[in-house]
Amino acid sequence: MDRLLTAASPSPPSPRKDPLELQIEAQSAIALMKPEGVSNLSRRAFLGFGASALVLGALLPSMPVRAQAAAAAAVKPGTRIPAFLVIGKDNAVTLLSPFVEGGQGINTGLAQIVGEELDVHPSRFTVECAPPGPDYAVINGLRMTGGSFSTRSSYPLMRRLGATARDLMIRAASAKLKIKPQDLTTDDGFVVHAASGKRLSYGELAPAALALPPRDDVALRDPAGFRYIRQPVARLDVRAKSTGRAVYAIDQKLEGMLYAAVRHAPNQGTAVEAIANEAEVTAMPGVHSVHTLPGAVAVAADSWWRARKAVEALSVSWSAPARSGFDTVAADYASDGLLAALKSSREAGLPAEAEGDAAAAFAKAAKVIEAEYDAPYLIHGQLEPPSSMARFNPDGTLELWAPNQMPELFQSVAAQAAGLAPEKVILHSPMLGGFFGRHFLYGSANPFLQAIQLAKAAGRPVKVLWSREEEFRMDALRPLSFSRFRAAIGADGRPTAIQARTVGEGPLGRWFGAVFKDPVDSSAVEGITEKPYAIPNRRMEYVKFPHPVTIAFWRSVGHSMNDFFYEGFLDEIADAGGQDPFALRMELLKDKLRHRKLLETVAAMSGGWKRGPYEVDGMRRARGVSMASPFGSETATIAEVSVQGGETQVHTVWVAFDPGSIVNPAIVKSQVESAVALGLSATLFEELVYKDGVRQSHNFDDYPILSRRSMPAVHVEILESGAPMGGVGEPGLPGVPPAVVNAVAALTGQRIRSLPLAKNKIGV
């Protein structure tokens, strides 16, 4: 999602989608544009702060929501200290974050940034996800957590926020002590007058600070004197997670709550026609009620296990899917059928990148090579199964606990579904059990609307929890992808032209097409276009071929497969021209010092580049190299592999990573390591297959993922080039598949162009 900067709404309804998707898209199209989307909730009430807490600044007064929205619109998002900081009388500091914590460490990073300028140690922060509101639309008018945007989008803002708050404290202390501001300093939450030894806590100064107007010209700290930024500060949530005290959506309970289990239609887009045994199931122990939902049935009961056993006992007749075609998930829909359709497409492509005269270069080439690459559907498969909890309160509000990455959008869509004004929806955004692009609005791939419908029907709070099987049935997928490449090679063995034809669909066009008018979906071609290599003649084209299934963002989005395609084909170019692939990359990057530095660094990390094959302890091994430029960052990756019994074993992965600049090196390193693990899992094992209109994987027993036995040693070196800050959570993944596959080719002579490797017979 690296180009998701100014989006305000998903695309308008498409006739291909099921009714629930149509409903959500219609609602979402206006969700972020309506002034009613502004929440009028007290942040203290929302977060449960007691009377001992003082909000640093005045909350918006109670007023009609339109007037409140108009007042808020006059303030630039992310600039008002009251929206972000709560200072308690006990000098405790709470930061209300625009972002959702889901294991990526954003809460700790924000505490470091704000704490650096506020002069409060990060360990003393409590960080909570802020409620919906205009103050938190800090990504060019949009609020979301994703696309590796959180830190880089908010870094300057959060520094200024902390510096402004510190300045208010100093000025308030100056007035109280009758001492010039320049004679005061701060020390971990206190304003200090060194000459007299007087110390005033931020907590006791907060009331006076409320009356002071913030300055626009506060000075920021010299980075040379940073104490917290660029330091490996321990994560704020590490103790809670390691002791089992961290609370996820799946853990939450409400008084009087019913549990709901759901069973979805076997074929996407079909509906319930009849339930033959509803009365018998309703009479089962603990069962409260049986419900029909769009494309699903549900049972509410006094425990989730009873609800699940009951919903599984229902005898349901479903409508029939279409017999054939790609407008819906038809009865004969299959992954291999879609791939064949992508390959056979003859539609004229739209230019995604054009440079030089590719046709002329091909006409006089010494050699021309071609190759086709594809990658399968992938599920997100995060550890925490999807759940949501809804309660209609006596005061007419709807309270919702929904894992999400866009609070305002979820609030607005929930309001539409419940028939309420958005300010009547109290949305809690709990800590996520994994991101991976799973928690955006993907139509019926999210249970929160089911929770609302069931709570309304049952007249009780309801918690919906999908079984792992239902998650596998309903999760929105990384698109199945296909690209065809051609390259012209000169007499000197170097490429003179490259062409690529990408056929398919990306999630950006699917869900935000109304905002991004470009007919070329960047999420479908990123990783193929705008590569740094000096190949003078380039023509990349895109052909949109809509998927009938629900597609989604997946960690590193289009880069997750397209860098595999491009970097694998670049190795084929090197081989066809008699070039070493590492040396060829260095030559093609001779004017790109940042990229050459990464290649030199990763080679040095691995003990010097050697392709192989070579022997280690009597075992034949080889190495592959790749580069990727995702989400504003740059990476170079080397993987070392062997093949035993037809199975690829990855022994070591080295990654040189340049995100421009960093906040917490420990978090950066762990994010790159986790991205390597997910990239390896997709490279070696993962594949979601459709056959006869139905997904063939139902749980992890028939959807293999990376095991501990298959996890290699991973070495990460961070380079700070000083370029604009890039993303961290996703860039470590795209270089892994091509590095591994290039190593397999060097070792075996087999060029694998279709993932995962497990479906290919590989031999030495």
Side-chain angles (χ1 to χ4, degrees):
M1 290 186 67
D2 57 332
R3 292 174 176 82
L4 190 55
L5 288 172
T6 58
S9 60
S11 55
S14 162
R16 293 186 301 101
K17 301 182 177 68
D18 63 58
L20 188 55
E21 286 183 281
L22 293 176
Q23 174 191 16
I24 290 175
E25 286 192 350
Q27 294 160 352
S28 302
I30 58 172
L32 298 184
M33 303 301 293
K34 295 178 67 174
E36 289 89 346
V38 180
S39 172
N40 194 30
L41 294 170
S42 160
R43 292 175 178 83
R44 277 185 290 189
F46 180 88
L47 293 166
F49 292 124
S52 64
L54 290 171
V55 178
L56 183 60
L59 291 168
L60 290 173
S62 177
M63 64 176 79
V65 69
R66 287 184 181 275
Q68 178 177 318
V75 179
K76 184 178 179 182
T79 60
R80 292 189 296 177
I81 294 172
F84 290 87
L85 285 173
V86 177
I87 309 293
K89 289 182 179 179
D90 59 357
N91 216 27
V93 180
T94 298
L95 174 65
L96 305 188
S97 169
F99 308 109
V100 181
E101 175 63 60
Q104 82 279 39
I106 187 60
N107 285 358
T108 304
L110 291 183
Q112 289 179 253
I113 299 166
V114 176
E116 186 71 70
E117 299 290 351
L118 181 60
D119 199 359
V120 173
H121 194 281
S123 65
R124 298 211 299 107
F125 277 78
T126 297
V127 183
E128 303 279 356
C129 183
D135 285 286
Y136 310 109
V138 300
I139 304 178
N140 286 3
L142 176 72
R143 181 186 184 185
M144 71 163 188
T145 309
S148 294
F149 263 119
S150 298
T151 301
R152 56 175 165 152
S153 68
S154 63
Y155 181 74
L157 181 152
M158 290 296 168
R159 285 189 66 192
R160 185 160 297 280
L161 180 79
T164 302
R166 176 177 178 269
D167 177 70
L168 289 177
M169 294 299 176
I170 290 175
R171 289 160 57 199
S174 172
K176 185 169 184 176
L177 298 175
K178 296 182 172 49
I179 297 172
K180 294 179 180 180
Q182 56 266 36
D183 293 331
L184 298 172
T185 187
T186 57
D187 177 31
D188 196 15
F190 289 84
V191 178
V192 178
H193 183 233
S196 65
K198 294 180 180 179
R199 294 167 60 89
L200 298 175
S201 73
Y202 286 0
E204 62 185 300
L205 290 169
L210 301 180
L212 298 175
R215 292 169 48 195
D216 294 329
D217 59 346
V218 292
L220 302 180
R221 291 187 184 274
D222 183 347
F226 279 167
R227 301 151 299 163
Y228 311 135
I229 294 176
R230 299 201 181 106
Q231 297 302 311
V233 173
R235 295 197 188 206
L236 300 182
D237 56 7
V238 66
R239 178 175 292 275
K241 287 182 175 179
S242 61
T243 58
R245 296 178 182 176
V247 177
Y248 298 89
I250 195 174
D251 302 314
Q252 295 171 331
K253 298 179 181 179
L254 294 171
E255 185 177 353
M257 178 180 75
L258 293 171
Y259 295 82
V262 180
R263 193 169 122 215
H264 295 90
N267 296 85
Q268 181 180 326
T270 59
V272 176
E273 289 189 334
I275 301 175
N277 61 340
E278 182 173 344
E280 293 91 331
V281 171
T282 303
M284 290 176 68
V287 170
H288 176 274
S289 48
V290 175
H291 303 268
T292 298
L293 299 170
V297 290
V299 172
D302 60 4
S303 77
W304 187 77
W305 180 249
R306 284 177 163 177
R308 179 177 180 179
K309 297 303 290 183
V311 81
E312 290 174 346
L314 288 172
S315 178
V316 184
S317 298
W318 304 93
S319 63
R323 295 181 63 182
S324 190
F326 293 110
D327 290 336
T328 63
V329 181
D332 66 348
Y333 183 71
S335 301
D336 56 4
L338 178 68
L339 180 58
L342 300 182
K343 289 183 176 182
S344 63
S345 168
R346 296 295 178 263
E347 184 179 342
L350 298 170
E353 181 180 12
E355 185 70 32
D357 190 341
F362 276 99
K364 59 183 180 182
K367 182 183 291 188
V368 174
I369 64 170
E370 299 185 6
E372 295 180 349
Y373 281 77
D374 66 82
Y377 286 124
L378 294 181
I379 202 165
H380 290 93
Q382 79 275 2
L383 182 62
E384 179 188 16
S387 67
S388 291
M389 195 162 59
R391 177 177 65 193
F392 286 89
N393 296 318
D395 63 359
T397 60
L398 164 64
E399 201 159 3
L400 185 66
W401 289 259
N404 72 89
Q405 294 178 240
M406 295 184 73
E408 285 72 17
L409 184 56
F410 273 67
Q411 181 196 43
S412 185
V413 171
Q416 293 279 342
L420 297 172
E423 69 269 18
K424 291 291 187 179
V425 176
I426 304 169
L427 176 68
H428 301 268
S429 300
M431 179 168 55
L432 301 177
F435 269 96
F436 320 120
R438 175 66 180 91
H439 300 287
F440 288 103
L441 270 177
Y442 300 126
S444 53
N446 190 298
F448 83 104
L449 287 180
Q450 294 175 343
I452 296 170
Q453 293 167 326
L454 292 172
K456 195 169 189 176
R460 299 261 297 275
V462 171
K463 179 179 182 178
V464 175
L465 172 63
W466 287 357
S467 67
R468 184 68 69 188
E469 289 78 11
E470 294 305 316
E471 159 71 343
F472 268 73
R473 189 192 304 272
M474 297 304 296
D475 188 12
L477 306 175
R478 189 192 76 170
L480 185 154
S481 304
F482 167 76
S483 289
R484 181 180 291 114
F485 289 84
R486 294 180 73 222
I489 301 173
D492 61 356
R494 295 191 178 95
T496 59
I498 186 169
Q499 291 182 341
R501 176 181 168 87
T502 297
V503 186
E505 185 184 15
L508 191 64
R510 167 74 70 94
W511 299 109
F512 293 90
V515 176
F516 296 94
K517 304 294 186 181
D518 191 336
V520 175
D521 185 343
S522 62
S523 66
V525 298
E526 60 188 5
I528 291 177
T529 60
E530 301 179 9
K531 296 290 281 189
Y533 303 114
I535 301 176
N537 303 291
R538 304 184 299 277
R539 181 169 178 81
M540 312 304 191
E541 62 182 31
Y542 168 65
V543 177
K544 183 174 181 179
F545 193 112
H547 289 254
V549 306
T550 306
I551 61 172
F553 300 100
W554 194 88
R555 193 170 186 175
S556 75
V557 200
H559 287 280
S560 67
M561 56 277 195
N562 289 335
D563 279 297
F564 156 59
F565 296 171
Y566 191 105
E567 293 287 314
F569 188 62
L570 187 59
D571 260 38
E572 293 197 59
I573 292 173
D575 288 339
Q579 307 287 313
D580 175 84
F582 184 91
L584 177 62
R585 284 173 172 81
M586 289 292 285
E587 172 65 25
L588 296 176
L589 296 170
K590 61 184 179 182
D591 296 324
K592 301 291 181 67
L593 299 182
R594 184 183 184 190
H595 298 83
R596 285 179 63 92
K597 178 66 174 176
L598 281 167
L599 275 175
E600 291 167 350
T601 299
V602 78
M605 291 169 62
S606 66
W609 166 252
K610 55 180 178 179
R611 191 184 191 194
Y614 50 85
E615 285 199 2
V616 176
D617 299 329
M619 180 187 299
R620 281 167 53 86
R621 297 186 184 183
R623 293 180 181 179
V625 63
S626 69
M627 300 201 73
S629 305
F631 305 94
S633 293
E634 301 289 343
T635 68
T637 305
I638 290 177
E640 182 179 69
V641 311
S642 66
V643 174
Q644 304 170 56
E647 180 179 332
T648 302
Q649 178 68 45
V650 182
H651 297 278
T652 310
V653 175
W654 297 271
V655 182
F657 179 48
D658 178 7
S661 60
I662 64 172
V663 172
N664 187 315
I667 290 177
V668 172
K669 185 172 182 288
S670 67
Q671 283 288 289
V672 175
E673 290 170 343
S674 71
V676 168
L678 188 56
L680 281 170
S681 189
T683 305
L684 299 175
F685 304 113
E686 293 189 38
E687 180 180 25
L688 193 287
V689 174
Y690 269 91
K691 184 179 180 181
D692 298 329
V694 176
R695 298 181 182 186
Q696 299 301 294
S697 295
H698 310 91
N699 206 321
F700 288 116
D701 58 342
D702 54 14
Y703 184 86
I705 61 173
L706 189 74
S707 66
R708 292 184 66 180
R709 183 181 68 85
S710 299
M711 184 67 194
V714 179
H715 303 279
V716 179
E717 186 166 330
I718 303 167
L719 286 73
E720 292 188 81
S721 63
M725 184 180 287
V728 167
E730 297 170 275
L733 189 149
V736 174
V740 171
V741 172
N742 288 341
V744 169
L747 181 63
T748 67
Q750 289 180 258
R751 172 56 59 180
I752 305 300
R753 303 186 183 95
S754 180
L755 293 180
L757 290 178
K759 72 179 181 182
N760 298 277
K761 293 183 178 180
I762 301 173
V764 178

mmCIF file of all heavy atoms in Angstrom, residues 223-250:
data_model
loop_
_atom_site.group_PDB
_atom_site.id
_atom_site.type_symbol
_atom_site.label_atom_id
_atom_site.label_comp_id
_atom_site.label_asym_id
_atom_site.label_seq_id
_atom_site.Cartn_x
_atom_site.Cartn_y
_atom_site.Cartn_z
ATOM 1 N N PRO A 223 19.677 16.071 16.557
ATOM 2 C CA PRO A 223 19.783 14.607 16.522
ATOM 3 C C PRO A 223 21.089 14.071 17.107
ATOM 4 O O PRO A 223 21.124 12.924 17.573
ATOM 5 C CB PRO A 223 19.661 14.288 15.030
ATOM 6 C CG PRO A 223 18.854 15.420 14.469
ATOM 7 C CD PRO A 223 19.287 16.636 15.248
ATOM 8 N N ALA A 224 22.123 14.873 17.083
ATOM 9 C CA ALA A 224 23.393 14.408 17.648
ATOM 10 C C ALA A 224 23.272 14.137 19.143
ATOM 11 O O ALA A 224 24.070 13.374 19.708
ATOM 12 C CB ALA A 224 24.482 15.443 17.394
ATOM 13 N N GLY A 225 22.275 14.759 19.784
ATOM 14 C CA GLY A 225 22.099 14.569 21.215
ATOM 15 C C GLY A 225 20.952 13.655 21.584
ATOM 16 O O GLY A 225 20.539 13.611 22.752
ATOM 17 N N PHE A 226 20.417 12.904 20.617
ATOM 18 C CA PHE A 226 19.300 12.004 20.906
ATOM 19 C C PHE A 226 19.688 11.005 21.995
ATOM 20 O O PHE A 226 20.779 10.424 21.983
ATOM 21 C CB PHE A 226 18.894 11.227 19.656
ATOM 22 C CG PHE A 226 18.010 11.999 18.708
ATOM 23 C CD1 PHE A 226 17.784 11.522 17.424
ATOM 24 C CD2 PHE A 226 17.396 13.184 19.084
ATOM 25 C CE1 PHE A 226 16.971 12.208 16.532
ATOM 26 C CE2 PHE A 226 16.584 13.885 18.204
ATOM 27 C CZ PHE A 226 16.370 13.392 16.930
ATOM 28 N N ARG A 227 18.748 10.783 22.914
ATOM 29 C CA ARG A 227 18.957 9.787 23.978
ATOM 30 C C ARG A 227 18.105 8.546 23.776
ATOM 31 O O ARG A 227 18.490 7.458 24.190
ATOM 32 C CB ARG A 227 18.618 10.403 25.343
ATOM 33 C CG ARG A 227 19.462 11.634 25.689
ATOM 34 C CD ARG A 227 18.678 12.577 26.590
ATOM 35 N NE ARG A 227 17.467 13.046 25.901
ATOM 36 C CZ ARG A 227 16.429 13.605 26.521
ATOM 37 N NH1 ARG A 227 16.460 13.750 27.818
ATOM 38 N NH2 ARG A 227 15.387 14.013 25.832
ATOM 39 N N TYR A 228 16.941 8.709 23.144
ATOM 40 C CA TYR A 228 16.002 7.598 22.987
ATOM 41 C C TYR A 228 15.852 7.173 21.522
ATOM 42 O O TYR A 228 15.818 5.983 21.221
ATOM 43 C CB TYR A 228 14.632 7.976 23.554
ATOM 44 C CG TYR A 228 14.682 8.569 24.944
ATOM 45 C CD1 TYR A 228 13.947 9.701 25.289
ATOM 46 C CD2 TYR A 228 15.485 7.999 25.934
ATOM 47 C CE1 TYR A 228 13.990 10.233 26.554
ATOM 48 C CE2 TYR A 228 15.547 8.537 27.209
ATOM 49 C CZ TYR A 228 14.793 9.662 27.510
ATOM 50 O OH TYR A 228 14.860 10.194 28.769
ATOM 51 N N ILE A 229 15.734 8.144 20.632
ATOM 52 C CA ILE A 229 15.632 7.821 19.208
ATOM 53 C C ILE A 229 16.944 7.198 18.750
ATOM 54 O O ILE A 229 18.022 7.626 19.134
ATOM 55 C CB ILE A 229 15.302 9.080 18.384
ATOM 56 C CG1 ILE A 229 13.906 9.593 18.733
ATOM 57 C CG2 ILE A 229 15.393 8.802 16.889
ATOM 58 C CD1 ILE A 229 13.522 10.895 18.036
ATOM 59 N N ARG A 230 16.823 6.166 17.925
ATOM 60 C CA ARG A 230 17.926 5.357 17.404
ATOM 61 C C ARG A 230 18.530 4.432 18.460
ATOM 62 O O ARG A 230 19.600 3.864 18.249
ATOM 63 C CB ARG A 230 19.032 6.211 16.768
ATOM 64 C CG ARG A 230 18.558 7.052 15.581
ATOM 65 C CD ARG A 230 19.727 7.454 14.696
ATOM 66 N NE ARG A 230 19.264 8.278 13.579
ATOM 67 C CZ ARG A 230 19.456 9.579 13.496
ATOM 68 N NH1 ARG A 230 20.124 10.214 14.447
ATOM 69 N NH2 ARG A 230 18.996 10.249 12.460
ATOM 70 N N GLN A 231 17.827 4.260 19.564
ATOM 71 C CA GLN A 231 18.292 3.352 20.608
ATOM 72 C C GLN A 231 17.366 2.136 20.680
ATOM 73 O O GLN A 231 16.169 2.245 20.422
ATOM 74 C CB GLN A 231 18.317 4.051 21.969
ATOM 75 C CG GLN A 231 19.289 5.216 22.047
ATOM 76 C CD GLN A 231 20.709 4.802 21.722
ATOM 77 O OE1 GLN A 231 21.223 3.821 22.260
ATOM 78 N NE2 GLN A 231 21.346 5.560 20.834
ATOM 79 N N PRO A 232 17.886 0.959 21.049
ATOM 80 C CA PRO A 232 17.069 -0.260 21.118
ATOM 81 C C PRO A 232 16.227 -0.325 22.388
ATOM 82 O O PRO A 232 16.359 -1.245 23.210
ATOM 83 C CB PRO A 232 18.115 -1.375 21.066
ATOM 84 C CG PRO A 232 19.321 -0.767 21.709
ATOM 85 C CD PRO A 232 19.312 0.693 21.304
ATOM 86 N N VAL A 233 15.350 0.641 22.568
ATOM 87 C CA VAL A 233 14.481 0.689 23.747
ATOM 88 C C VAL A 233 13.579 -0.545 23.756
ATOM 89 O O VAL A 233 13.033 -0.945 22.724
ATOM 90 C CB VAL A 233 13.638 1.978 23.731
ATOM 91 C CG1 VAL A 233 12.599 1.974 24.841
ATOM 92 C CG2 VAL A 233 14.551 3.203 23.850
ATOM 93 N N ALA A 234 13.431 -1.158 24.929
ATOM 94 C CA ALA A 234 12.590 -2.354 25.043
ATOM 95 C C ALA A 234 11.134 -2.011 24.735
ATOM 96 O O ALA A 234 10.643 -0.929 25.075
ATOM 97 C CB ALA A 234 12.702 -2.945 26.446
ATOM 98 N N ARG A 235 10.435 -2.932 24.113
ATOM 99 C CA ARG A 235 9.033 -2.707 23.769
ATOM 100 C C ARG A 235 8.186 -2.530 25.033
ATOM 101 O O ARG A 235 8.359 -3.249 26.013
ATOM 102 C CB ARG A 235 8.491 -3.869 22.957
ATOM 103 C CG ARG A 235 9.148 -4.008 21.594
ATOM 104 C CD ARG A 235 8.305 -4.880 20.705
ATOM 105 N NE ARG A 235 8.999 -5.187 19.473
ATOM 106 C CZ ARG A 235 8.387 -5.489 18.333
ATOM 107 N NH1 ARG A 235 7.074 -5.514 18.286
ATOM 108 N NH2 ARG A 235 9.083 -5.767 17.254
ATOM 109 N N LEU A 236 7.246 -1.630 24.944
ATOM 110 C CA LEU A 236 6.398 -1.340 26.094
ATOM 111 C C LEU A 236 5.499 -2.515 26.453
ATOM 112 O O LEU A 236 5.089 -2.653 27.605
ATOM 113 C CB LEU A 236 5.537 -0.106 25.811
ATOM 114 C CG LEU A 236 6.273 1.202 25.506
ATOM 115 C CD1 LEU A 236 5.270 2.332 25.293
ATOM 116 C CD2 LEU A 236 7.251 1.560 26.612
ATOM 117 N N ASP A 237 5.158 -3.340 25.472
ATOM 118 C CA ASP A 237 4.198 -4.415 25.716
ATOM 119 C C ASP A 237 4.848 -5.768 25.971
ATOM 120 O O ASP A 237 4.158 -6.779 26.055
ATOM 121 C CB ASP A 237 3.227 -4.530 24.544
ATOM 122 C CG ASP A 237 3.928 -4.731 23.206
ATOM 123 O OD1 ASP A 237 5.167 -4.912 23.191
ATOM 124 O OD2 ASP A 237 3.240 -4.692 22.161
ATOM 125 N N VAL A 238 6.159 -5.799 26.103
ATOM 126 C CA VAL A 238 6.839 -7.093 26.181
ATOM 127 C C VAL A 238 6.456 -7.847 27.453
ATOM 128 O O VAL A 238 6.251 -9.068 27.434
ATOM 129 C CB VAL A 238 8.370 -6.921 26.071
ATOM 130 C CG1 VAL A 238 8.942 -6.176 27.267
ATOM 131 C CG2 VAL A 238 9.045 -8.267 25.906
ATOM 132 N N ARG A 239 6.304 -7.130 28.575
ATOM 133 C CA ARG A 239 5.957 -7.824 29.822
ATOM 134 C C ARG A 239 4.531 -8.372 29.755
ATOM 135 O O ARG A 239 4.275 -9.516 30.140
ATOM 136 C CB ARG A 239 6.107 -6.883 31.023
ATOM 137 C CG ARG A 239 5.713 -7.533 32.357
ATOM 138 C CD ARG A 239 5.979 -6.615 33.526
ATOM 139 N NE ARG A 239 7.408 -6.413 33.733
ATOM 140 C CZ ARG A 239 8.177 -7.232 34.440
ATOM 141 N NH1 ARG A 239 7.663 -8.309 35.013
ATOM 142 N NH2 ARG A 239 9.458 -6.981 34.599
ATOM 143 N N ALA A 240 3.611 -7.555 29.257
ATOM 144 C CA ALA A 240 2.220 -8.007 29.180
ATOM 145 C C ALA A 240 2.093 -9.224 28.269
ATOM 146 O O ALA A 240 1.363 -10.178 28.573
ATOM 147 C CB ALA A 240 1.326 -6.872 28.680
ATOM 148 N N LYS A 241 2.813 -9.217 27.157
ATOM 149 C CA LYS A 241 2.725 -10.351 26.237
ATOM 150 C C LYS A 241 3.391 -11.594 26.812
ATOM 151 O O LYS A 241 2.889 -12.712 26.640
ATOM 152 C CB LYS A 241 3.367 -9.980 24.903
ATOM 153 C CG LYS A 241 2.534 -9.001 24.073
ATOM 154 C CD LYS A 241 3.190 -8.695 22.742
ATOM 155 C CE LYS A 241 2.302 -7.818 21.886
ATOM 156 N NZ LYS A 241 2.922 -7.480 20.583
ATOM 157 N N SER A 242 4.506 -11.412 27.481
ATOM 158 C CA SER A 242 5.240 -12.570 27.987
ATOM 159 C C SER A 242 4.587 -13.174 29.226
ATOM 160 O O SER A 242 4.879 -14.318 29.577
ATOM 161 C CB SER A 242 6.691 -12.189 28.290
ATOM 162 O OG SER A 242 6.748 -11.183 29.284
ATOM 163 N N THR A 243 3.711 -12.431 29.886
ATOM 164 C CA THR A 243 3.027 -12.941 31.081
ATOM 165 C C THR A 243 1.569 -13.277 30.817
ATOM 166 O O THR A 243 0.835 -13.624 31.743
ATOM 167 C CB THR A 243 3.109 -11.920 32.228
ATOM 168 O OG1 THR A 243 2.522 -10.676 31.799
ATOM 169 C CG2 THR A 243 4.547 -11.682 32.651
ATOM 170 N N GLY A 244 1.133 -13.158 29.564
ATOM 171 C CA GLY A 244 -0.242 -13.501 29.229
ATOM 172 C C GLY A 244 -1.260 -12.449 29.600
ATOM 173 O O GLY A 244 -2.471 -12.710 29.591
ATOM 174 N N ARG A 245 -0.819 -11.246 29.916
ATOM 175 C CA ARG A 245 -1.750 -10.191 30.322
ATOM 176 C C ARG A 245 -2.200 -9.307 29.164
ATOM 177 O O ARG A 245 -3.092 -8.482 29.333
ATOM 178 C CB ARG A 245 -1.102 -9.327 31.405
ATOM 179 C CG ARG A 245 -0.818 -10.094 32.698
ATOM 180 C CD ARG A 245 -0.122 -9.224 33.726
ATOM 181 N NE ARG A 245 0.179 -9.991 34.941
ATOM 182 C CZ ARG A 245 0.854 -9.509 35.969
ATOM 183 N NH1 ARG A 245 1.313 -8.263 35.937
ATOM 184 N NH2 ARG A 245 1.074 -10.269 37.032
ATOM 185 N N ALA A 246 -1.566 -9.454 28.033
ATOM 186 C CA ALA A 246 -1.982 -8.661 26.873
ATOM 187 C C ALA A 246 -3.389 -9.099 26.456
ATOM 188 O O ALA A 246 -3.691 -10.288 26.391
ATOM 189 C CB ALA A 246 -1.007 -8.862 25.717
ATOM 190 N N VAL A 247 -4.247 -8.120 26.188
ATOM 191 C CA VAL A 247 -5.648 -8.406 25.872
ATOM 192 C C VAL A 247 -5.892 -8.134 24.391
ATOM 193 O O VAL A 247 -5.742 -7.005 23.919
ATOM 194 C CB VAL A 247 -6.593 -7.546 26.736
ATOM 195 C CG1 VAL A 247 -8.049 -7.813 26.344
ATOM 196 C CG2 VAL A 247 -6.378 -7.849 28.209
ATOM 197 N N TYR A 248 -6.267 -9.179 23.685
ATOM 198 C CA TYR A 248 -6.639 -9.070 22.280
ATOM 199 C C TYR A 248 -8.167 -9.138 22.181
ATOM 200 O O TYR A 248 -8.861 -9.443 23.154
ATOM 201 C CB TYR A 248 -6.003 -10.204 21.478
ATOM 202 C CG TYR A 248 -4.490 -10.197 21.498
ATOM 203 C CD1 TYR A 248 -3.779 -10.872 22.494
ATOM 204 C CD2 TYR A 248 -3.771 -9.515 20.528
ATOM 205 C CE1 TYR A 248 -2.390 -10.868 22.504
ATOM 206 C CE2 TYR A 248 -2.384 -9.508 20.529
ATOM 207 C CZ TYR A 248 -1.697 -10.180 21.522
ATOM 208 O OH TYR A 248 -0.328 -10.165 21.535
ATOM 209 N N ALA A 249 -8.675 -8.913 20.986
ATOM 210 C CA ALA A 249 -10.124 -8.974 20.796
ATOM 211 C C ALA A 249 -10.673 -10.341 21.190
ATOM 212 O O ALA A 249 -11.761 -10.441 21.769
ATOM 213 C CB ALA A 249 -10.472 -8.664 19.341
ATOM 214 N N ILE A 250 -9.928 -11.381 20.909
ATOM 215 C CA ILE A 250 -10.391 -12.731 21.205
ATOM 216 C C ILE A 250 -10.525 -12.978 22.702
ATOM 217 O O ILE A 250 -11.255 -13.875 23.138
ATOM 218 C CB ILE A 250 -9.435 -13.766 20.555
ATOM 219 C CG1 ILE A 250 -10.065 -15.147 20.508
ATOM 220 C CG2 ILE A 250 -8.105 -13.782 21.274
ATOM 221 C CD1 ILE A 250 -9.243 -16.160 19.750
#
